[in-house]
Amino acid sequence: MKRRSGQGGTQPLGSVPPAAGSRSQSGDRSATNQAPRSGHTLARSPRPISPRASYSAQPPLNLRNVLDHSERSPAAGNGRRSFERSNPPSLALIQPQPRSLSPNVNRPDAARRPERPVALAPRPMGRSRSTPRRGRAHPPAPASPLLYATRLIILGVGIGAIVGTSLSVWNPTIRAQDTTAASLAASPTPAPSPTPTPGFRGDLVPANPSSAIMKLRLGQPIAPLTTTLQSLVAQTGLSAGVFVVDLDTGDYVDLNGSTVYPAASTIKTPILVAFLQDVDRQRVRLDESLTLQTIDITDGSGEIQFMEVGSQLSALDTATKMITISDNTATNMVIHKLGGLTALNSRFRDWGMSHTVLNNLLADLQGTNTTSARDLSLLLTAVSQGDLLSLRSRDRLLDIMRSTVNNNLLAATLGPDAKIAHKTGNIDSLSGDSGIVDMPNGKRYVITALVQRAGDAGSAAQLIQQISQATYQYFAQPPAVAIPPNVPDSTANPDTAPSSQDSSASDPAQQPTL
């Protein structure tokens, strides 16, 4: 049942509002009325404060406390039945109170309500395990060596990445290549070659090629061959210079070998040696291009003279045409590539070729360029022994000279299986040929024949062929074997030993052949 209040409001029967500033028997703090009720308006606190805004000595507000408050209220009547007839208790704001050391101090119901056991106290929320407890601060644990090592590795990888990126941007390889190319273009002298592997004999340039011919030691004169050649020259009445060297023994034939003759095209042999020397020294590349200039073009033998000015040929092709088809224009191109006439004459003197001089470019139809049979033969002897050129350049020289087209002089009267690497020369006043001959029996020798003539080319060529044939036949003979005399054994019984006359008569097949 409800009753009407004197002020027009309604309130439940059996419910008495608590007085201001009083506490309930259950120990809960009720809301304090700041002003009397007026009409239907309930006076509230001008500044509501949240229950969680401050700490209180009372236990936390929950459903159990609300039920306890309702059951222990003095206006509850007969307990449970009175609670069911009354309205549900409302949650009132809790005014903040100063926190006391004990929750039961100065409380009127302290004797009536025992203190809650510690085991039922709620567990504080919101604290993580990583949060250190107050009053128990511990010093940080020292870092392990593994952590320091990991940091160093990460730092090293980072520095390496930065340095690698910087080097890739700078790109020192390209800069080094550009610097090397610029240095090669500025100076024709190449950098020294790397040191070969110890114990391996590389194909190296001779240490002192200038003194190769001067240090050349010859053997003994070959008297029988010298006599034969002298008789051949005397029969023709021509002036001839012949020089032959046995490359196995060093024995030689010198027939007017130091007489100076017009060189004609035989002077192209020392020019080829100088060209290959510059190839060994990396001053000339075999695949580089040589440009045909107006000053190089000349008449005489060869085919490059018919090409247009400005045409380009490789250095190896130009030097090959100089020998194989005796191209005079190609010879002039090589002379200019090697530094000119003066530079070549200086190199010829360093080699010991005192009679070989280049006075004019090719074609030298007047015979102003000079040489001698001795100079040409000793030059080929030094090349064959590897004194002036590397082994590689020596083999290239032999291959080029074996391809000579004109085989009408020394090569005409050789045996069918013989090979010759040579260079011929023919002008109105001279016919000549110089080369290295390889025989089927393994013999190798050098021969040079220069014949001066006065317009009769047939007799000069015929004399050179006879000289070549006589020399080839001499070296083709088997060496003579000395047969020791038949000396009887003095220890044998003279009665049983047959006499030499009886043995020769009884067995003619056992007679020695003389």
Side-chain angles (χ1 to χ4, degrees), residues 257-261 263 267 348-349 352-358 368-376:
S258 297
T259 303
V260 178
Y261 291 97
I267 203 170
F348 296 162
R349 288 191 299 269
M353 302 178 70
S354 57
H355 305 129
T356 303
V357 180
L358 270 170
T368 59
N369 300 329
T370 61
T371 189
S372 66
R374 179 185 177 92
D375 281 359
L376 294 177

Side-chain angles (χ1 to χ4, degrees), residues 290-428:
L290 302 182
T291 304
L292 176 62
Q293 302 177 3
T294 305
I295 193 176
D296 299 328
I297 299 176
T298 184
D299 54 359
S301 59
E303 58 185 18
I304 300 180
Q305 58 181 319
F306 304 107
M307 299 176 64
E308 296 181 358
V309 177
S311 301
Q312 292 185 346
L313 296 88
S314 67
L316 179 59
D317 190 18
T318 305
T320 301
K321 291 181 182 297
M322 177 181 67
I323 300 297
T324 55
I325 61 176
S326 194
D327 196 308
N328 294 327
T329 302
T331 305
N332 294 335
M333 294 174 65
V334 174
I335 290 174
H336 290 147
K337 178 62 180 177
L338 299 180
L341 301 176
T342 304
L344 286 174
N345 288 331
S346 177
R347 296 172 74 171
F348 296 162
R349 288 191 299 269
D350 292 341
W351 296 346
M353 302 178 70
S354 57
H355 305 129
T356 303
V357 180
L358 270 170
N359 294 315
N360 289 293
L361 295 174
L362 278 290
D364 181 31
L365 300 179
Q366 292 77 22
T368 59
N369 300 329
T370 61
T371 189
S372 66
R374 179 185 177 92
D375 281 359
L376 294 177
S377 291
L378 293 184
L379 174 67
L380 292 179
T381 301
V383 170
S384 178
Q385 294 179 348
D387 293 333
L388 289 175
L389 301 176
S390 64
L391 300 179
R392 175 183 318 162
S393 295
R394 181 198 64 181
D395 295 341
R396 183 171 284 112
L397 179 140
L398 295 177
D399 290 340
I400 293 174
M401 296 184 68
R402 283 170 182 163
S403 302
T404 300
V405 175
N406 186 2
N407 292 320
N408 297 327
L409 299 177
L410 291 176
T413 54
L414 297 177
D417 296 330
K419 295 181 180 180
I420 182 173
H422 67 116
K423 180 68 192 78
T424 59
N426 286 287
I427 55 176
D428 293 340

Side-chain angles (χ1 to χ4, degrees), residues 135-150:
R136 295 185 180 181
H138 299 281
S144 63
L146 180 61
L147 179 60
Y148 282 113
T150 304

Side-chain angles (χ1 to χ4, degrees), residues 149-211:
T150 304
R151 291 177 179 176
L152 289 177
I153 292 174
I154 295 174
L155 179 61
V157 172
I159 294 176
I162 295 174
V163 173
T165 304
S166 303
L167 292 179
S168 64
V169 173
W170 181 54
N171 203 350
T173 304
I174 296 179
R175 294 176 180 266
Q177 292 177 355
D178 296 341
T179 305
T180 304
S183 62
L184 290 177
S187 176
T189 304
S193 58
T195 305
T197 304
F200 178 79
R201 183 181 181 274
D203 186 10
L204 303 177
V205 181
N208 189 13
S210 301
S211 59

